[in-house]
Amino acid sequence: SRFDAFSPSLYFGKNEFLMTADPTGQNLIEQESLDECRILEELRQTPELLELISVWSGSELGLQSRLRRQFPDALVRSAISLCELRRKGVNKFSRAASMWFDRRGLEQSTAELVARDKAKLFDDAVWDLCSGIGSDAIAIADRCSSVIAVDLNPAAGLRTRWNAEAYGVAERIETRCADVLKLDSISGWVHIDPDRRAGSEGKASRIEDYVPGLPELLDLMSRCRGGAIKVGPASNFGGKFPDTEIELISLAGECKEATVWFGELAGSESFRATVLPAGESIAGHPLDAVAVVAPLGRYVYDPDPAVVRAGLIDVVAERLGLNRLDGAEEYLTSDRLVQSAFVHPFEVLAELPNNEHDLRAWLRTSDFGQIEIKCRHIPVQAETLRRKLP
């Protein structure tokens, strides 16, 4: 079953899904999708339910008891879940309070700042495949003339359209319910966020386990002018996508995603690290530079995780005039303070042996408050060590 556009009349009362005996369970999945769409529509038409939850100051049990006297159980469960997700969503979206989420969609969605940064490279008309709750489609539509957002789940299309309304770009987004593997009309610019949780064993770390998988992604790249493929930052993307630029993106010190830029949108370098919210990028190849290994200086630097995952530590060290403490680990050092979004500096006050007795003795005579323990490539359990310190 395929819908070219979303409309309540498509979902309800017209039997677009023909229910027959199906040993694969596909009919059950389709019915669950229809039920989800129906509840979403009802919830959207019942704003007073969400308002009651948002202003409630009593116990959760009391809240549920009151709501169930006025509204159906399924609607109450959906409303409570949405309000909880909206509270969590403020860490990702500036307009989370008026957005529509499901748990999986929020977890897999691209954070607003990351999506907006990626959208800078797009123009004109763009396909957004496996669009989820629409975070990438919304950011792209804010800059481009039109976006076709495609997802297999019709409820995802509803959320995309309503979230686009929250950001004022709904008129530039067309939502379609379709299997992206069966679309043969895709061309021009494309953004795709493959499903990393299609199986039953949690999030996939191998690109071969994504849906669409590697063969389908490579075929899409060959048919389009250019675009971006969103993959997990810990995935095995190395060597999988020839003639591309792989950008590692961090936000507030956490590496959020790897973006495979292909076609006309690929840069001239193999790897790029982008640090947000600073908005700074550095591009190169891990073999382009070899940093000098030197003794510990007055300052030690912890590289941003995007720089580490992109393999650009030596490139950063060379451009900033820093040295490596060791050829196999990531910390950098210098005698003068260097400020950069790509590294986090610490002043060295003492250098001690890796001995708990000496460390405890030194800390007893030092004016310290909270201690942050950083460790790379040595067998130290930070929390275990913390409990042993004064």
Side-chain angles (χ1 to χ4, degrees), residues 124-264:
D124 199 18
V126 182
W127 289 82
D128 182 30
L129 308 180
C130 307
S131 54
I133 63 170
S135 54
D136 283 295
I138 290 167
I140 295 171
D142 194 47
R143 300 181 57 89
C144 301
S145 60
S146 64
V147 178
I148 301 175
V150 183
D151 199 283
L152 186 60
N153 183 358
L158 282 177
R159 293 185 176 99
T160 292
R161 189 175 67 186
W162 297 343
N163 290 338
E165 291 176 3
Y167 280 87
V169 296
E171 72 281 359
R172 293 198 289 275
I173 296 181
E174 174 189 348
T175 54
R176 297 187 184 181
C177 180
D179 185 346
V180 300
L181 295 176
K182 298 179 181 178
L183 291 176
D184 54 10
S185 57
I186 300 174
S187 60
W189 304 124
V190 63
H191 175 276
I192 182 169
D193 181 3
D195 189 355
R196 296 179 295 282
R197 299 193 179 187
S200 59
E201 299 180 359
K203 186 182 296 186
S205 59
R206 299 174 65 255
I207 291 175
E208 291 81 358
D209 297 327
Y210 286 11
V211 178
L214 184 58
E216 292 81 15
L217 294 174
L218 294 174
D219 176 67
L220 179 69
M221 291 167 56
S222 69
R223 292 189 284 118
C224 296
R225 179 180 174 186
I229 302 171
K230 176 182 172 181
V231 300
S235 64
N236 59 335
F237 53 73
K240 304 293 183 180
F241 301 97
D243 303 318
T244 61
E245 178 187 36
I246 299 179
E247 180 183 20
L248 280 299
I249 305 173
S250 70
L251 176 62
E254 181 181 351
C255 195
K256 292 294 186 179
E257 73 171 72
T259 304
V260 181
W261 296 100
F262 64 90
E264 295 179 28

Side-chain angles (χ1 to χ4, degrees), residues 74-94:
L75 200 61
V76 171
R77 288 195 301 270
S78 180
I80 291 175
S81 176
L82 176 59
C83 290
E84 176 195 352
L85 294 173
R86 283 178 171 179
R87 289 191 292 269
K88 292 182 178 180
V90 298
N91 295 321
K92 277 191 168 186
F93 301 102
S94 62

Side-chain angles (χ1 to χ4, degrees), residues 228-308:
I229 302 171
K230 176 182 172 181
V231 300
S235 64
N236 59 335
F237 53 73
K240 304 293 183 180
F241 301 97
D243 303 318
T244 61
E245 178 187 36
I246 299 179
E247 180 183 20
L248 280 299
I249 305 173
S250 70
L251 176 62
E254 181 181 351
C255 195
K256 292 294 186 179
E257 73 171 72
T259 304
V260 181
W261 296 100
F262 64 90
E264 295 179 28
L265 296 188
S268 58
E269 301 288 354
S270 301
F271 291 92
R272 177 177 298 274
T274 297
V275 180
L276 300 176
E280 295 189 31
S281 289
I282 188 168
H285 190 279
L287 300 181
D288 284 349
V290 179
V292 175
V293 177
L296 180 65
R298 182 178 177 183
Y299 299 96
V300 64
Y301 302 86
D302 191 14
D304 184 86
V307 172
V308 175

